[in-house]
């Protein structure tokens, strides 16, 4: 997709996301959006595209680190519950409780019994979330093996992206089909009428972002609120005020507006 068309459509969708935000605030709606997918699937860029023009006080992004020793001793879902949305919240999970069905299972961070137990109970947990009034939307971002290779190679060669490349990424890369099997079972066990999975083709990031945001806006039943005419008030007179000569340190200006 050409950049000019992408920017035009994204600007329009950003306006709709702001309208959705105001509806969420006004109605006390609770929205929870889950993003899952392989490494390099584009979750971070997708979330940034959604959140760059809305308030971080309404749209909260949750990306939990590896669990502490105490959290490992808790019921698995326990560490995620405090982050679920309250009234007027849109919570976006950059990876979620589905870590157990994916990376933890494939990389051996949990046992098969633990993974099976998770898949057995999570539909009921999500049913309870939906019954409590949460609008739960689950996205799986899909890329081809060739596109994953291209993106990982770009991380190796680009100093702006090298921080995204971890040892776990490299180990995961070699286990493409283990992840495929884990994904397929996750879909079979947790794709429910009350919390279905939505698969997003994200080989082309621009069209993938526009398609997902369009779907998100269609899934949340928001109604744009009426806007009022706004006129800026008159600014007060200076009444003798002058800028003082304070000993502040100004930063260097190697760049100018010209």
């Amino acid at each position: 997709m050409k950049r000019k068309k992408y920017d035009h459509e994204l600007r329009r969708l950003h306006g709709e996301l702001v309208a959705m935000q105001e509806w969420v605030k006004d109605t006390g709606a609770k929205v929870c959006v889950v993003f899952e997918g392989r490494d390099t699937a584009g979750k971070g860029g997708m979330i940034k595209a959604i959140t760059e023009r809305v308030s971080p006080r309404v749209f909260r992004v949750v990306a939990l680190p590896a669990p502490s020793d105490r959290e490992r001793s808790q019921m698995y879902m326990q560490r995620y519950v405090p982050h679920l949305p309250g009234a007027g919240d849109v919570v976006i999970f950059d990876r979620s409780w589905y870590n157990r069905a994916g990376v933890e299972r494939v990389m051996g961070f949990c046992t098969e019994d633990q993974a099976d137990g998770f898949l057995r109970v999570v539909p009921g947990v999500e049913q309870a979330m939906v019954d409590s009034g949460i609008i739960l939307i689950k996205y799986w971002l899909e890329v081809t093996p060739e596109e994953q290779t291209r993106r990982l190679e770009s991380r190796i060669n680009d100093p702006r992206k090298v921080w995204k490349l971890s040892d776990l990424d490299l180990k995961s890369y070699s286990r493409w089909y283990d992840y495929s099997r884990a994904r397929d079972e996750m879909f079979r066990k947790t794709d429910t009428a009350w919390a279905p999975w939505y698969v997003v083709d994200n080989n082309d990031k621009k069209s993938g972002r526009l398609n997902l945001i369009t779907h998100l806006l269609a899934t949340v039943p928001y109604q744009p609120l009426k806007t009022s005419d706004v006129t800026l008030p008159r600014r007060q007179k200076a009444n003798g005020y002058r800028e003082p000569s304070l000993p502040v340190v100004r930063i260097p200006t190697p760049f100018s507006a010209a």
Side-chain angles (χ1 to χ4, degrees), residues 32-246:
C32 181
V33 187
V34 170
F35 281 97
E36 293 291 342
R38 304 174 193 270
D39 295 319
T40 77
K43 296 180 291 296
M46 187 73 74
I47 292 169
K48 182 178 179 181
I50 292 171
T51 59
E52 63 182 336
R53 294 294 181 178
V54 292
S55 170
R57 289 185 291 274
V58 178
F59 281 71
R60 290 192 292 113
V61 179
V62 177
L64 297 184
S68 65
D69 289 341
R70 183 174 185 277
E71 287 171 331
R72 288 190 186 95
S73 72
Q74 296 173 342
M75 182 180 68
Y76 178 72
M77 287 290 295
Q78 190 170 339
R79 70 192 295 247
Y80 294 97
V81 171
H83 300 281
L84 294 178
D89 289 339
V90 179
V91 174
I92 298 174
F93 280 92
D94 184 355
R95 293 199 183 276
S96 66
W97 46 93
Y98 283 101
N99 273 341
R100 175 133 294 182
V103 62
E104 289 190 14
R105 183 174 211 170
V106 173
M107 303 307 296
F109 298 146
C110 72
T111 66
E112 281 298 305
D113 285 344
Q114 288 174 323
D116 289 339
F118 166 78
L119 292 172
R120 187 170 58 253
V121 304
V122 75
V125 174
E126 292 177 350
Q127 176 80 76
M129 292 167 60
V130 172
D131 288 347
S132 75
I134 292 175
I135 300 171
L136 176 59
I137 308 169
K138 303 186 302 191
Y139 289 116
W140 174 271
L141 273 55
E142 190 65 83
V143 293
T144 62
E146 295 77 17
E147 180 62 15
Q148 186 188 52
T149 299
R150 189 193 69 77
R151 292 182 187 181
L152 282 172
E153 288 176 345
S154 75
R155 292 182 181 182
I156 295 172
N157 300 316
D158 190 335
R160 300 168 300 172
K161 300 178 182 178
V162 68
W163 63 272
K164 294 183 176 182
L165 191 63
S166 68
D167 292 340
L168 187 60
D169 292 336
L170 299 177
K171 292 178 182 177
S172 299
Y173 175 77
S174 66
R175 299 188 177 182
W176 175 272
Y177 293 105
D178 288 341
Y179 272 97
S180 294
R181 294 183 183 95
R183 176 205 59 195
D184 295 347
E185 184 172 6
M186 181 185 77
F187 285 168
R188 280 194 294 268
K189 299 289 183 63
T190 65
D191 183 42
T192 59
W194 54 90
W197 279 102
Y198 297 106
V199 178
V200 183
D201 180 350
N202 205 39
N203 281 298
D204 178 72
K205 292 181 179 179
K206 294 188 186 72
S207 59
R209 291 168 188 171
L210 298 180
N211 290 333
L212 187 145
I213 295 172
T214 299
H215 181 269
L216 174 64
L217 290 166
T219 305
V220 177
Y222 76 100
Q223 294 291 331
L225 303 180
K226 291 183 179 179
T227 57
S228 57
D229 293 332
V230 177
T231 302
L232 291 177
R234 292 194 177 197
R235 188 171 280 156
Q236 66 181 158
K237 295 182 179 180
N239 292 326
Y241 176 82
R242 294 184 179 182
E243 292 285 346
S245 298
L246 297 174

Side-chain angles (χ1 to χ4, degrees), residues 1-10 204-211:
M1 178 177 285
K2 298 294 186 182
R3 169 60 67 173
K4 185 175 182 180
K5 180 179 181 182
Y6 171 72
D7 288 342
H8 174 76
E9 293 297 331
L10 187 60
D204 178 72
K205 292 181 179 179
K206 294 188 186 72
S207 59
R209 291 168 188 171
L210 298 180
N211 290 333

